[in-house]
C-alpha cells in the first residue's frame, strides 16, 4: 500500500464542472503539497498546507489531519486545467512522498 | 517556482556518455533534493543534500549516479555511462534549513539517451 494514495487516477469533466481530487496518506506529515504537471512540463506547486483550507483563484485545497485526508477542488473548470495533479506529503525527514497522480481532462 | 533554476532543460546524450544536470536553489535555501520521473511513472526521491554534505542518498541507483552540492555554485547530479533506461525527467527542489517539508520545485531537466 502506498503511503500516499490519490483518487481517482483519471478524471474527465466538461468545462464548467466542479472537480474534486482526493488524497489519503498513512504517514505522519508536516505539510501536504498539491502539485500540477502539464504534459511534458515542469512541476508547479499549487498549495502547501498543514491544516484547514487554502484558496487561490478557482482552486481550493483542504486537509483533515485527524482523518489523514486532503482534497483539491477546482470550481468552474476550464480546458486549461487539464493536467496531472499530484498529492505529496512532506515529513520532518527529508523526502517528499508522492501519490501516483490524477490525470484530469476538461473537455470544452 | 521561478526561484529554483535547472539547466539544461533538455539534454540528449548517446549511450555511454556522461550527463551533468545542474540545480540552483532558491535564494536563501540551503537544502536541495533530486527526484526522478521515469516515463509514465510517478516521482521518486533520489537524494537530499545540504551544502557540502549528502544527507540521504537512499534513492540513488548504486552505480553510475552521483550528486554534489558544493559550497559555491549549483548542485550537480551526474550520471556516468548513461543507458536508455536513464531517460527521464529529473526534478530538483529546494527548501529552507529546518523546513524540509517546504520544498519548491524547479522546471526539470528532460534527459534523452539515444
Amino acid at each position: 500500500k502506498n503511503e500516499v494514495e490519490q483518487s481517482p487516477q483519471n478524471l474527465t469533466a466538461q468545462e464548467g464542472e466542479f472537480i474534486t481530487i482526493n488524497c489519503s496518506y498513512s504517514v505522519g506529515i508536516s505539510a501536504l503539497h498539491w502539485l500540477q504537471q502539464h504534459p511534458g512540463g515542469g512541476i508547479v506547486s499549487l498549495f502547501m498546507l498543514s491544516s484547514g483550507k487554502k484558496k487561490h483563484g478557482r482552486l481550493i485545497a483542504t486537509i483533515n489531519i485527524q482523518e489523514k485526508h486532503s482534497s483539491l477542488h477546482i470550481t468552474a473548470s476550464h480546458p486549461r486545467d487539464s493536467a496531472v495533479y499530484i498529492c505529496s506529503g512532506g515529513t520532518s525527514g527529508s523526502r517528499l512522498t508522492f501519490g501516483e497522480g490524477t490525470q484530469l481532462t476538461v473537455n470544452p | 517556482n521561478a526561484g529554483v533554476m535547472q539547466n539544461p532543460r533538455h539534454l540528449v546524450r548517446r549511450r555511454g556518455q556522461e550527463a551533468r544536470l545542474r540545480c540552483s536553489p532558491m535564494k536563501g535555501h540551503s537544502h536541495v533534493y533530486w527526484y526522478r520521473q521515469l516515463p509514465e511513472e510517478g516521482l521518486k526521491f533520489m537524494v537530499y543534500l545540504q551544502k557540502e554534505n549528502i544527507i540521504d542518498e537512499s534513492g540513488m541507483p548504486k552505480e553510475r549516479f552521483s550528486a554534489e552540492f558544493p559550497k559555491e555554485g549549483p548542485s550537480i547530479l551526474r550520471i556516468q555511462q548513461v543507458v536508455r533506461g536513464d531517460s527521464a525527467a529529473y526534478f530538483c527542489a529546494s527548501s529552507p534549513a529546518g523546513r524540509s517539508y517546504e520544498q519548491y520545485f524547479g522546471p526539470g531537466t528532460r534527459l534523452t539517451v539515444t
Side-chain angles (χ1 to χ4, degrees):
Chain A
K1 189 179 188 298
N2 290 337
E3 293 177 325
V4 178
E5 292 200 333
Q6 290 183 235
S7 62
Q9 284 188 308
N10 293 283
L11 181 56
T12 300
Q14 288 299 122
E15 184 173 355
E17 285 185 358
F18 181 84
I19 288 163
T20 296
I21 300 171
N22 294 302
C23 175
S24 296
Y25 53 92
S26 59
V27 295
I29 64 168
S30 300
L32 186 132
H33 299 249
W34 282 102
L35 311 171
Q36 180 193 56
Q37 185 175 30
H38 283 279
I43 292 172
V44 175
S45 182
L46 298 174
F47 295 103
M48 183 182 65
L49 65 166
S50 54
S51 65
K53 175 180 174 179
K54 287 191 176 181
K55 184 176 189 294
H56 184 240
R58 295 180 294 105
L59 302 179
I60 303 166
T62 63
I63 187 168
N64 184 318
I65 299 293
Q66 286 74 29
E67 295 185 5
K68 292 188 168 61
H69 181 269
S70 176
S71 293
L72 176 68
H73 305 285
I74 304 175
T75 61
S77 59
H78 190 275
R80 65 174 173 267
D81 297 326
S82 298
V84 175
Y85 292 84
I86 304 167
C87 168
S88 71
T91 68
S92 57
S94 58
R95 64 183 66 189
L96 293 181
T97 303
F98 299 92
E100 292 299 314
T102 295
Q103 173 68 62
L104 171 66
T105 303
V106 182
N107 295 317
Chain B
N1 292 332
V4 180
M5 307 293 290
Q6 288 188 249
N7 69 81
R9 295 291 305 277
H10 299 274
L11 181 61
V12 179
R13 284 287 177 265
R14 290 198 180 96
R15 280 182 297 171
Q17 291 184 319
E18 178 179 287
R20 282 185 177 237
L21 288 62
R22 294 174 183 77
C23 169
S24 297
M26 283 182 71
K27 187 177 180 181
H29 287 188
S30 56
H31 297 195
V32 164
Y33 314 79
W34 285 94
Y35 297 93
R36 179 168 67 173
Q37 186 177 41
L38 292 166
E40 308 302 322
E41 293 189 19
L43 287 154
K44 295 285 190 273
F45 168 81
M46 298 183 76
V47 63
Y48 161 39
L49 309 103
Q50 296 176 11
K51 289 277 187 183
E52 300 185 285
N53 274 313
I54 297 174
I55 305 302
D56 180 356
E57 57 181 346
S58 57
M60 288 277 270
K62 293 287 183 271
E63 297 176 350
R64 302 186 297 106
F65 284 71
S66 62
E68 63 176 11
F69 189 15
K71 188 176 180 182
E72 301 291 336
S75 174
I76 307 282
L77 179 67
R78 181 181 176 206
I79 311 172
Q80 294 179 291
Q81 299 176 323
V82 295
V83 300
R84 287 219 173 103
D86 297 331
S87 296
Y90 293 83
F91 291 95
C92 165
S94 72
S95 76
R99 303 216 300 267
S100 296
Y101 51 84
E102 187 181 328
Q103 296 182 25
Y104 297 87
F105 283 82
T109 294
R110 296 195 176 274
L111 172 66
T112 302
V113 180
T114 61

